Amino acid sequence: MTDRLAVGAPTIDFARLFRVLPSPYMILDRDLRYVEVNDAYCTVLERRREDLIGAYLFDAFPDPGESGRRLKASLQRVLETGLTDSLPLIPYAIERPAARGGGFEMRYWSAVHAPLLDSSGRCQFVVQNTVDVTELQRLRTLAYGPGGEPAPGEKDILQRAQEVQAENQTLLRETQDLRQLFMQAPGFIAVIAGPELRFALANNAYQRLIGDRQIIGRPVGEALPEVVEQGFVALLHGVMERREPFVGQAMSVNLRRTPDAPLEERFVDFVFQPIVTPGGDVTGVFVEGSDVTDRVHAERQQKLLVDELNHRVKNSLATVQAIAHQTLRTAANPAAFQEAFESRLMALSKTHDLLTATNWRGAALRDVLLAELGPFGPNQYELEGPDVDLTPAEALAFGLVAHELATNAAKYGALSGADGCVSVEWATQDGRLALTWRERGGPQVATPTRRGFGSRLIERSLQGQLEGSAELEFAPGGLICRIELPLGVAKI
């Protein structure tokens, strides 16, 4: 806005208007230093403008007592909240000029502090309008007669004034308490006002969710541009138009947690509640909810583990059947069958023990492979490669992959017969692992007509947080699985 506004032919000089306003006004910056004062302010404070501009308020008018603390607290509330704050009555001593004998004179004031916001909605300046009510306080003394009692009429007026002051102070404390509760609430809360959907309030949890961006006073689509195409602005307009709340459960929203960060998927439970006045007008939307991203991830992980457990039990039974069949074909007598079969079952049990133990402690790649291939006998597998230590997540993923490959080999591949063999070779270079699982000597392999759970699990187990890959080749001479993985990427 410019200093001059055309109104027909004449113009209004707002700078001059500010100076000649009959009520005292002053403007402070965020450091509580004078930016501007009008003539009435200089007159009532008996100071010169050039002595105030740039000065710190409490250097110009020091008061280390309760009145100074109340004044500073009011100004800070405006700077922090961007909302108007008032002091209905505050005693504040003013230094008298030397021409009037110097010293300090106790004066009583009523002040209103209003914010001037910048384009981002942040309070940049504070405007104070103050009224000298010292004479009203002196009238209180004049209202008392010789016996110390107020005259009729004045007593009621003064008593009511004192009651109003007390009520204002109580309301101020209650407002401050409510604001603290609002800001510290564990769930995220925001108030969006007007047809332009401007942020009016947002608590600490909401600020954490959106990366502590400056949003107060700005429209939702401008403050959080990434949510527009995701449909949330349309949802807010719909809530205002239909006058009905919208409830979202575990809804996905992609947000930038810092201004330059990539989009991050979060999941939220929330309610968009229309704000309706007693007259029936919808003035905005109240937003309340909680970030349930950790819960959603935990539920997904639990489902994956349950599905894997069910699948693993079926595969374990199939593996036991294959081991029993192979052992029965090669055993010379029942006693030999019992000994060989029991030893292989114990090795299979160790596979499960190793996977359980290495979920969070890590394991060697060779040990993970041996846990799955050990039950089939040393003549049916070959392992060649350097020592490689796997992180817990890598060990778990490789355990799943090795289990699926060994189970498939026992059902349909090289480990289903006595002459088959599985060779596993691996090498590392530049922090990456390259591993090849190759089967030979088993039944001829044909490409399956559909991909089962096991194939999908092998391919997907190394993706995601491991950033790896697995490729299956159904060669006629035996299955080949090629695995690549950047080591040390996975986190617990």
Side-chain angles (χ1 to χ4, degrees):
M1 188 174 74
T2 62
D3 287 345
R4 297 179 181 271
L5 175 68
V7 183
T11 60
I12 299 175
D13 186 339
F14 284 100
R16 183 172 179 272
L17 175 62
F18 176 79
R19 289 195 299 270
V20 302
L21 286 172
S23 184
Y25 282 90
M26 61 94 160
I27 302 176
L28 300 175
D29 63 15
R30 292 190 61 84
D31 294 325
L32 302 184
R33 292 185 177 276
Y34 283 96
V35 175
E36 191 55 89
V37 294
N38 70 348
D39 295 343
Y41 187 89
C42 293
T43 299
V44 76
L45 273 301
E46 300 183 83
R47 295 293 182 92
R48 298 187 307 168
R49 177 181 178 276
E50 54 267 29
D51 294 334
L52 294 176
I53 301 303
Y56 179 52
L57 172 63
F58 294 99
D59 287 342
F61 299 101
D63 187 329
E66 177 63 23
S67 294
R69 288 191 290 271
R70 287 179 57 199
L71 177 58
K72 180 177 287 187
S74 176
L75 294 168
Q76 290 295 343
R77 283 194 293 272
V78 177
L79 290 172
E80 292 172 2
T81 67
L83 302 175
T84 299
D85 195 80
S86 61
L87 295 172
L89 183 66
I90 177 172
Y92 208 101
I94 300 300
E95 185 178 6
R96 293 179 298 188
R100 292 211 301 120
F104 285 84
E105 178 183 356
M106 179 57 68
R107 308 279 281 276
Y108 293 85
W109 311 87
S110 179
V112 176
H113 299 134
L116 285 179
L117 307 180
D118 60 18
S119 60
S120 68
R122 182 171 180 259
C123 181
Q124 188 174 13
F125 301 102
V126 179
V127 179
Q128 182 197 75
N129 172 225
T130 184
V131 178
D132 187 346
V133 294
T134 305
E135 292 301 321
L136 293 177
Q137 287 297 106
R138 290 173 179 172
L139 285 175
R140 177 183 180 186
T141 303
L142 296 176
Y144 285 86
E149 289 296 327
E154 285 86 349
K155 177 179 180 180
D156 294 337
I157 295 174
L158 292 171
Q159 182 177 354
R160 180 56 186 157
Q162 292 173 338
E163 291 173 353
V164 170
Q165 169 69 5
E167 290 173 0
N168 287 338
Q169 293 298 326
T170 300
L171 288 174
L172 180 60
R173 287 192 298 270
E174 291 177 351
T175 301
Q176 293 171 344
D177 291 343
L178 287 174
R179 175 173 174 75
Q180 290 179 355
L181 289 174
F182 173 85
M183 295 302 294
Q184 297 175 18
F188 61 76
I189 304 174
V191 176
I192 298 171
E196 295 181 343
L197 301 178
R198 292 183 180 274
F199 281 102
L201 291 172
N203 72 343
N204 297 336
Y206 195 93
Q207 290 287 353
R208 287 194 297 270
L209 179 68
I210 62 168
D212 293 315
R213 284 179 269 181
Q214 294 291 340
I215 61 173
I216 302 302
R218 302 175 66 188
V220 174
E222 176 187 311
L224 307 175
E226 66 268 27
V227 306
V228 177
E229 294 185 359
Q230 299 178 60
F232 288 93
V233 173
L235 277 178
L236 290 167
H237 281 299
V239 168
M240 294 189 67
E241 292 170 2
R242 292 188 298 271
R243 300 167 178 259
E244 295 179 353
F246 178 87
V247 179
Q249 293 184 337
M251 287 191 65
S252 171
V253 56
N254 293 305
L255 294 169
R256 286 186 173 85
R257 307 305 297 281
T258 58
D260 299 328
L263 291 175
E264 177 182 341
E265 185 179 30
R266 309 297 293 180
F267 295 90
V268 291
D269 288 345
F270 67 93
V271 176
F272 287 167
Q273 177 71 41
I275 301 173
V276 184
T277 66
D281 296 326
V282 178
T283 60
V285 179
F286 182 81
V287 180
E288 188 275 332
S290 56
D291 186 342
V292 296
T293 304
D294 292 342
R295 187 192 76 192
V296 171
H297 287 169
E299 290 173 352
R300 289 182 176 181
Q301 180 67 16
Q302 184 180 33
K303 184 179 184 303
L304 176 64
L305 291 176
V306 170
D307 290 343
E308 168 56 23
L309 177 62
N310 292 333
H311 186 69
R312 183 175 289 276
V313 169
K314 294 178 182 179
N315 281 349
S316 296
L317 292 175
T319 301
V320 170
Q321 289 177 331
I323 292 174
H325 179 70
Q326 179 182 340
T327 305
L328 183 61
R329 288 195 313 169
T330 58
N333 51 62
F337 167 79
Q338 179 178 355
E339 180 180 358
F341 184 61
E342 288 181 353
S343 65
R344 288 173 174 170
L345 286 184
M346 289 300 296
L348 183 63
S349 175
K350 292 179 181 179
T351 301
H352 291 270
D353 291 341
L354 179 62
L355 289 174
T356 300
T358 58
N359 276 349
W360 307 111
R361 299 178 185 176
L365 172 60
R366 187 180 299 272
D367 292 340
V368 174
L369 292 170
L370 283 173
E372 293 294 342
L373 293 173
F376 297 96
N379 63 318
Q380 289 197 282
Y381 63 86
E382 299 171 352
L383 304 180
E384 184 176 347
D387 292 337
V388 175
D389 291 326
L390 301 176
T391 67
E394 291 166 352
L396 177 60
F398 258 108
L400 295 176
V401 171
H403 179 79
E404 292 301 322
L405 290 171
T407 299
N408 183 76
K411 286 182 179 179
Y412 317 109
L415 299 181
S416 62
D419 298 329
C421 181
V422 172
S423 66
V424 185
E425 299 177 355
W426 66 91
T428 60
Q429 184 175 3
D430 298 330
R432 297 187 64 88
L433 171 69
L435 180 145
T436 301
W437 170 292
R438 192 183 304 272
E439 298 181 22
R440 65 178 185 271
Q444 188 172 7
V445 175
T447 302
T449 58
R450 65 181 183 87
R451 296 171 68 250
F453 178 81
S455 297
R456 292 196 301 271
L457 181 64
I458 290 172
E459 293 176 351
R460 294 178 182 177
S461 292
L462 302 179
Q463 296 175 0
Q465 66 171 342
L466 295 182
E467 302 179 10
S469 63
E471 178 185 354
L472 294 173
E473 178 185 346
F474 295 92
L479 175 70
I480 301 174
C481 178
R482 297 181 179 88
I483 293 173
E484 289 192 3
L485 180 71
L487 295 172
V489 172
K491 298 179 176 60
I492 297 176

